[in-house]
Amino acid sequence: MTQPPLTIPQQIDVTQATKSVAANGTPIYTVLCPDYEVVRLSFVFAAGSTTQRHPFTASATANMLAEGSERFTSQQIAERLDYYGSYFDVNIDRDHTYITFCTLSKFFQPTSEVIEQVLLHPTFPEEEITTYCQKRRQQLAIERRKVQTIAREIFAQAMFGTHHPYGISYPEQEYDTLRREHLLEHYRRRYTASNCIVVCSGNITDAIAQRITEIAEQLPQGSSDESFIIPPFESTSHVCHQHDGAVQSSIRMGRMLFTRNHPDFIPMQVLSTVLGGYFGSRLMQNLRERNGFTYGVFSAMVNFQQAGYLAIATQVGTQVTAEAQRQILLEIERLRTEKIADEELALVKNIMAGEMMRILDGPFGIADVTTENILCGFDNSRIEYNLQRIRQTTPDELLSLAQKYLREEDLVSVIVGDLENNE
């Protein structure tokens, strides 16, 4: 059988989100995808961990929304969602909390009763909070025995500073001090119209749109005056953390850069992909294929609301920790001294374009990208801009960016492992 011709997209046409505003000022963005008989509805609140006033409050508040409401118990909420084949998901990052519901279009109206209760009338039962805190404390304590978890937390501290909202990590014992009043305070202060955007996609009929607006306009007005002002960074260049008995070391390297709004973000994303952003990347070829140091290594641009950085991460055998780090630095130096070959760059561009097409295949992916664009101050025309910016990136530009941003003296490096027994 003859392989079909390879089609490389030269442009991406994505439906623009239409914006309406509820009576209380909540912006509602709708991406119509009428070919799919589903509805995806996300309430995005400026209620991430940077906004909390007590450790673990942001994540606890979001995760406890479906644990009981004025009309339904947690079991009734779960059963009603299951009955209609609907789905409820919570994601929390440093800046935002994402409350997402997915359902078939024909079942949106009955599902919306659950949405309304979960979002607008949670009761945060005391006994559920106690159980949640006990379980989360135990889970976190277990996670923190792993070198990759320790390295991730120490890297954030090394990048931003131990007291910076983007870098701080709390001891698991703080779960013992978490109380219902902390969750109620956070919910009342952050789950408001002024701190929310609504993004919906799928087969949004007029009746569904009206019902979404009815729910959104019940959010209390609140105030957006309390915004997170980013304090100065206090970066630490090198951190080595002893973890007795570890058979692997976790290596994290990177440097502070910029957010998605910066003109160099997209070409730096290309450079990061060349370095470690796909299976055949330079770091994978070096550390995995040639040296057998690791199963996987990656580099990526990490984006927060008010900061962004390049991160490189891998786990390697204890005995090869120093050599693995040296090889990572050699690959970075290659980017600073040698132009990327046209053939390699063309491959990377096609991989990045293909990944964009994969993400945008269906209303759920389109909604995710739409949300990200809105939070960065863009509309969906940014998708086409990003593709063209990737296409326009040249070896000369990437060499210049590597020389500017990837100096070894600017890198932050963290190693966690049994370093005392590293021969």
Side-chain angles (χ1 to χ4, degrees):
M1 181 180 293
T2 304
Q3 178 178 327
L6 180 64
T7 302
I8 300 171
Q10 296 301 314
Q11 63 181 33
I12 300 177
D13 295 320
V14 180
T15 303
Q16 288 287 349
T18 59
K19 180 182 178 181
S20 60
V21 180
N24 59 358
T26 305
I28 303 172
Y29 298 87
T30 303
V31 182
L32 290 177
C33 303
D35 294 337
Y36 299 86
E37 291 299 324
V38 295
V39 173
R40 186 177 192 263
L41 175 61
S42 294
F43 291 81
V44 183
F45 294 95
S49 61
T50 59
T51 68
Q52 65 190 12
R53 294 177 176 174
H54 190 276
F56 303 121
T57 301
S59 57
T61 302
N63 285 310
M64 294 297 296
L65 287 174
E67 295 303 316
S69 71
E70 292 179 0
R71 287 182 52 198
F72 303 138
T73 65
S74 59
Q75 181 177 347
Q76 289 172 326
I77 290 172
E79 288 175 348
R80 284 171 181 259
L81 291 173
D82 285 344
Y83 180 80
Y84 293 110
S86 302
Y87 180 69
F88 167 69
D89 188 40
V90 170
N91 282 292
I92 308 101
D93 60 27
R94 297 293 191 184
D95 300 298
H96 298 97
T97 293
Y98 306 79
I99 311 298
T100 300
F101 300 87
C102 302
T103 183
L104 293 173
S105 304
K106 62 183 178 180
F107 294 138
F108 181 80
Q109 292 297 336
T111 300
S112 70
E113 298 177 13
V114 180
I115 296 174
E116 194 171 45
Q117 285 295 305
V118 168
L119 192 69
L120 300 171
H121 305 290
T123 54
F124 303 110
E126 195 79 57
E127 63 275 14
E128 299 286 357
I129 295 174
T130 300
T131 301
Y132 169 86
C133 289
Q134 291 173 347
K135 183 166 67 173
R136 283 302 176 110
R137 172 179 172 163
Q138 184 179 27
Q139 290 174 340
L140 184 56
I142 293 171
E143 278 295 308
R144 283 177 170 168
R145 297 175 187 173
K146 303 175 182 178
V147 290
Q148 59 265 38
T149 302
I150 300 170
R152 183 179 68 248
E153 292 186 345
I154 293 179
F155 183 71
Q157 294 168 7
M159 188 70 72
F160 293 101
T162 56
H163 299 293
H164 191 282
Y166 285 157
I168 193 169
S169 295
Y170 297 105
E172 57 267 24
Q173 291 81 4
E174 288 289 351
Y175 273 114
D176 296 339
T177 68
L178 193 59
R179 299 289 181 265
R180 181 173 182 267
E181 53 265 30
H182 296 134
L183 277 64
L184 288 170
E185 185 275 336
H186 185 76
Y187 174 80
R188 290 165 181 162
R189 183 168 51 88
R190 304 307 304 180
Y191 285 67
T192 64
S194 56
N195 290 308
C196 178
I197 66 170
V198 179
V199 180
C200 50
S201 65
N203 186 16
I204 312 293
T205 64
D206 290 343
I208 289 175
Q210 181 179 351
R211 180 64 175 135
I212 292 171
T213 301
E214 289 174 358
I215 295 172
E217 66 188 10
Q218 293 181 61
L219 288 168
Q221 184 64 49
S223 171
S224 58
D225 295 338
E226 181 198 353
S227 58
F228 166 51
I229 305 300
I230 194 164
F233 306 131
E234 297 178 2
S235 296
T236 304
S237 297
H238 304 285
V239 179
C240 293
H241 180 86
Q242 174 65 22
H243 189 63
D244 294 339
V247 296
Q248 282 191 319
S249 297
S250 184
I251 300 174
R252 295 247 171 176
M253 299 174 67
R255 67 149 298 175
M256 192 69 64
L257 286 172
F258 30 69
T259 65
R260 290 184 179 275
N261 306 74
H262 195 280
D264 287 340
F265 183 89
I266 296 298
M268 277 302 297
Q269 211 170 24
V270 176
L271 193 63
S272 171
T273 304
V274 171
L275 180 62
Y278 67 107
F279 191 76
S281 69
R282 293 187 175 189
L283 287 178
M284 284 290 281
Q285 290 182 43
N286 185 325
L287 269 65
R288 177 184 167 117
E289 295 180 24
R290 290 203 297 272
N291 289 299
F293 290 160
T294 183
Y295 284 108
V297 56
F298 77 90
S299 67
M301 295 286 288
V302 179
N303 183 61
F304 293 144
Q305 193 74 12
Q306 299 194 43
Y309 60 89
L310 172 70
I312 302 164
T314 188
Q315 275 74 244
V316 301
T318 301
Q319 287 73 23
V320 300
T321 302
E323 180 60 18
Q325 186 178 28
R326 190 178 78 86
Q327 291 298 324
I328 293 172
L329 291 172
L330 284 175
E331 293 298 340
I332 292 174
E333 188 61 23
R334 277 185 62 203
L335 293 174
R336 300 185 72 249
T337 56
E338 303 173 11
K339 285 186 183 181
I340 299 169
D342 290 336
E343 183 179 1
E344 180 184 8
L345 183 54
L347 173 64
V348 167
K349 290 179 178 180
N350 290 338
I351 288 172
M352 294 180 72
E355 179 63 11
M356 291 175 69
M357 296 297 292
R358 184 193 67 79
I359 292 173
L360 293 167
D361 184 18
F364 292 4
I366 294 173
D368 285 336
V369 174
T370 299
T371 301
E372 185 176 45
N373 284 334
I374 292 169
L375 294 177
C376 291
F378 307 135
D379 61 25
N380 280 351
S381 64
R382 187 71 179 189
I383 299 168
E384 176 64 21
Y385 168 84
N386 290 346
L387 178 63
Q388 296 309 319
R389 188 66 184 89
I390 291 169
R391 292 286 186 215
Q392 294 163 4
T393 305
T394 65
D396 286 323
E397 181 182 15
L398 295 178
L399 179 65
S400 176
L401 289 173
Q403 292 170 347
K404 180 179 181 180
Y405 293 122
L406 297 184
R407 298 187 305 170
E408 182 176 346
E409 57 266 34
D410 295 330
L411 296 176
V412 170
S413 64
V414 170
I415 300 176
V416 177
D418 195 350
L419 308 177
E420 294 176 359
N421 294 322
N422 182 2
E423 299 178 0

